[in-house]
Amino acid sequence: MAAGRDLLGKNNHVIVVISDGAMTTGQAYEALNNVSLLDSNLIIILNDNNQVSLPIATTDGSPPPVGALRKALKRLRQAPKAITERDGGQADEIVAKVDLYPRGMMINGLGACFFEELGLHYIGPVDGHNLEELVHIMKVVKALPGQGTVLIHVVTEKGKGYAPAEAAPDKMHGVYFAESLIAEAERDDKIVAIHAGMEGGTEFNLFHKRFPDRCFDVEIAERDVVTFAAGLATKGLKPFCTIYSSFLRRVYYQLVHDVDLPKLPVRFAIDSAGLVGADGLTHCNAFDTTLLACLPNMVVMAPSCERELMNMVATAATIDDKPSCFRYPRGNGIGSIIPSFNKGTPVEVGKGRVLEEGTRVAILGYGTIVQSCVAAARLLQRFGISATVVDARFCKPLDGELIRQLAREHEVLLSVEEGSVGGFGSHVTHFLAMNGLLDRNLKWRAMMLPDIYIDHGTQREQLEQAGLSSKHIATTILTLIGENKDVI
């Protein structure tokens, strides 16, 4: 934006705001290196709320942040005090922040500010909750002629003024996954866990408490999660990586080059997959199945309930010749019966399961949307329509034998998934076409999320918007067989 402004001959101010957590990513440092070479006027505000690679809130409260950058920022926060003590309390604190740091002063022999070494003018740290001071400094910076790139280090408290946020900055989920992984690790000392600053968010704090030497936090650097896990796998360990579906998009090159190409048995737990309610557009988690299922060596799974999730953790632990992954949503399970001692049972790779036997139509669900498929079958029963409901379990490899049977024995075949186009339904369509199963009288449809970013709302509201509720599924089938769909 600053470069674009300069090219257009304009003189407006461009301000960038970045959190200390985001500062741990490689792209942030690449950008800092780039702006130092542009010789352009730019203001960067570093919002430092002491959350650098915070292993997000756990059952034991918020743990301390981790990583070298956290230590560096802590040193900078303490520097004004060092100036004041050195100068006998005579230096004005604001002057120290605005004037002394940009000159790269030596603080207690620690050397020039890290950001100064990158060619930026550093100002700070500034109390982000002292508006008078913050406004004063912003005005000073704004008035500087040809100031170049200035970084203002603003220290804040996450959630300040909002009691629930101060008490619990992040919400916990993924307990079933964590507990089942612990159960596997109790029996196999080669199992290790890796995450990117999300210990509480993915419930890996439970695993860390039980196996502190086998749980690794690489900070908010998902690409490092993948390559680090690949290295562990080459040594015969069994790494389980947990990554939010929305953050999976950051690691695609590493997935292809470092894991799938060499067929390393790294296991990926894709957290918060599908519709995520209030997280909204930026966390549209629709794409993971599409991204992963096109990789030649990846086993791609999705559980329909919490018990199936535990079974898939157990299944992934047995896959030692290639990478594997399984996706699961945020929020609560359906209350299915949990296996004893949280120990899942491995399922046969590439095999689905029939939940309900019917005659006229078949509904092939992938993931937790299977529960909506079951509910849709109940609605169809009111019209005397008998439906087979299948939990596909696997997108790759598909259960070809089961799909052939469904296509031969039913008038209608419908796939349903809470994912984007190019995912499970596309793989089923390709299988049906390549095997000549669409050359007959089969009425085939694939239901998936629409080709848009789903806006904020509850998960129920988002399913309605996406057209994937049980009523939508039943209506689609009634339309295919020529029944009155308006009665639902």
Side-chain angles (χ1 to χ4, degrees):
M1 293 172 69
R5 173 203 58 199
D6 296 344
L7 288 171
L8 294 174
K10 298 182 178 180
N11 61 0
N12 59 288
H13 291 278
V14 176
I15 301 176
V16 177
V17 180
I18 185 170
S19 69
D20 54 338
M23 274 296 296
T24 62
T25 64
Q27 185 179 7
Y29 291 103
E30 292 165 2
L32 288 175
N33 180 64
N34 185 39
V35 298
S36 67
L37 301 176
L38 289 178
D39 192 27
S40 181
N41 292 341
L42 178 67
I43 299 172
I44 301 173
I45 297 177
L46 170 59
N47 179 29
D48 176 7
N49 54 21
N50 200 26
Q51 301 284 304
V52 175
S53 293
L54 177 67
I56 295 175
T58 70
T59 53
D60 301 319
S62 295
V66 299
L69 181 60
R70 186 267 306 177
K71 297 178 182 178
L73 291 178
K74 181 179 180 181
R75 186 180 69 183
L76 288 175
R77 290 187 212 104
Q78 296 171 342
K81 180 180 179 181
I83 295 176
T84 304
E85 290 176 349
R86 186 196 64 189
D87 293 345
Q90 299 301 312
D92 178 85
E93 190 171 352
I94 294 181
V95 173
K97 291 168 182 172
V98 177
D99 183 51
L100 297 179
Y101 264 115
R103 298 176 183 173
M105 289 197 63
M106 302 286 285
I107 306 300
N108 288 342
L110 294 177
C113 169
F114 165 75
F115 299 106
E116 288 284 320
E117 292 297 316
L118 289 175
L120 283 64
H121 301 293
Y122 174 89
I123 295 175
V126 180
D127 181 0
H129 302 297
N130 185 335
L131 293 183
E132 181 180 357
E133 178 181 344
L134 188 60
V135 169
H136 171 76
I137 290 176
M138 292 292 291
K139 287 181 177 179
V140 170
V141 173
K142 181 179 178 180
L144 292 174
Q147 82 270 14
T149 300
V150 177
L151 186 143
I152 304 175
H153 181 183
V154 178
V155 178
T156 60
E157 179 184 335
K158 186 173 184 180
K160 185 175 179 64
Y162 180 55
E166 292 177 349
D170 296 274
K171 189 176 181 180
M172 298 177 292
H173 52 276
V175 174
Y176 298 112
F177 161 63
E179 290 183 343
S180 59
L181 186 59
I182 290 171
E184 297 297 327
E186 295 278 5
R187 296 162 175 79
D188 189 342
D189 61 7
K190 291 185 178 181
I191 289 178
V192 294
I194 311 164
H195 66 94
M198 296 295 290
E199 186 172 288
T202 60
E203 303 300 342
F204 261 12
N205 58 295
L206 303 174
F207 189 95
H208 182 261
K209 181 182 292 187
R210 179 63 185 85
F211 302 106
D213 296 331
R214 292 159 62 183
C215 188
F216 300 91
D217 178 1
V218 303
E219 308 179 18
I220 304 177
E222 285 82 4
R223 285 170 285 190
D224 191 29
V225 167
V226 177
T227 304
F228 184 76
L232 292 173
T234 64
K235 296 303 180 181
L237 293 168
K238 295 184 176 182
F240 277 77
C241 306
T242 180
I243 301 177
Y244 273 21
S245 175
S246 54
F247 302 150
L248 186 71
R249 303 189 284 270
R250 301 174 180 173
V251 305
Y252 203 62
Y253 177 82
Q254 287 73 22
L255 280 170
V256 175
H257 186 272
D258 297 344
V259 175
D260 196 70
L261 182 62
K263 294 183 69 174
L264 291 175
V266 178
R267 295 94 176 154
F268 295 96
I270 312 303
D271 199 326
S272 296
L275 299 173
V276 291
D279 281 354
L281 301 176
T282 58
H283 285 59
C284 180
N285 298 341
F287 313 114
D288 50 275
T289 301
T290 300
L291 292 171
L292 293 167
C294 66
L295 300 180
N297 299 314
M298 184 72 70
V299 174
V300 183
M301 304 175 272
S304 57
C305 63
E306 55 269 44
R307 182 183 182 89
E308 279 290 288
L309 171 58
M310 291 180 159
N311 290 339
M312 288 184 181
V313 172
T315 303
T318 67
I319 300 175
D320 290 325
D321 60 344
K322 63 185 67 175
S324 59
C325 66
F326 48 91
R327 73 185 323 240
Y328 54 96
R330 67 178 299 179
N332 299 325
I334 64 169
S336 59
I337 300 175
I338 302 303
S340 300
F341 307 107
N342 298 315
K343 176 67 175 70
T345 301
V347 301
E348 184 177 354
V349 174
K351 290 296 180 182
R353 58 175 185 149
V354 177
L355 301 181
E356 296 185 5
E357 292 275 7
T359 56
R360 190 173 182 185
V361 304
I363 309 174
L364 180 61
Y366 179 70
T368 53
I369 200 72
V370 165
Q371 307 308 323
S372 295
C373 297
V374 172
R378 300 283 186 272
L379 291 174
L380 292 172
Q381 286 179 352
R382 301 178 186 175
F383 302 92
I385 299 171
S386 176
T388 297
V389 180
V390 175
D391 176 3
R393 281 180 168 165
F394 292 86
C395 177
K396 190 169 188 177
L398 288 171
D399 190 340
E401 180 181 353
L402 179 56
I403 293 175
R404 286 190 185 92
Q405 179 183 344
L406 296 175
R408 287 194 303 262
E409 298 179 358
H410 297 83
E411 175 186 345
V412 173
L413 176 57
L414 184 74
S415 73
V416 190
E417 64 181 306
E418 197 176 306
S420 68
V421 63
F424 175 70
S426 297
H427 283 259
V428 176
T429 300
H430 182 263
F431 178 86
L432 292 170
M434 294 301 293
N435 287 273
L437 297 170
L438 297 178
D439 300 342
R440 305 170 188 175
N441 296 320
L442 177 68
K443 296 176 181 178
W444 155 250
R445 294 292 185 275
M447 296 185 69
M448 63 207 65
L449 293 175
D451 198 22
I452 61 173
Y453 292 97
I454 303 294
D455 209 345
H456 296 72
T458 66
Q459 287 171 298
R460 181 183 297 275
E461 290 170 342
Q462 289 180 326
L463 276 175
E464 289 289 337
Q465 181 184 350
L468 288 178
S469 69
S470 57
K471 289 185 178 181
H472 287 103
I473 297 170
T475 298
T476 299
I477 291 172
L478 290 174
T479 301
L480 285 171
I481 61 179
E483 297 285 349
N484 185 2
K485 62 181 181 180
D486 296 328
V487 296
I488 291 184

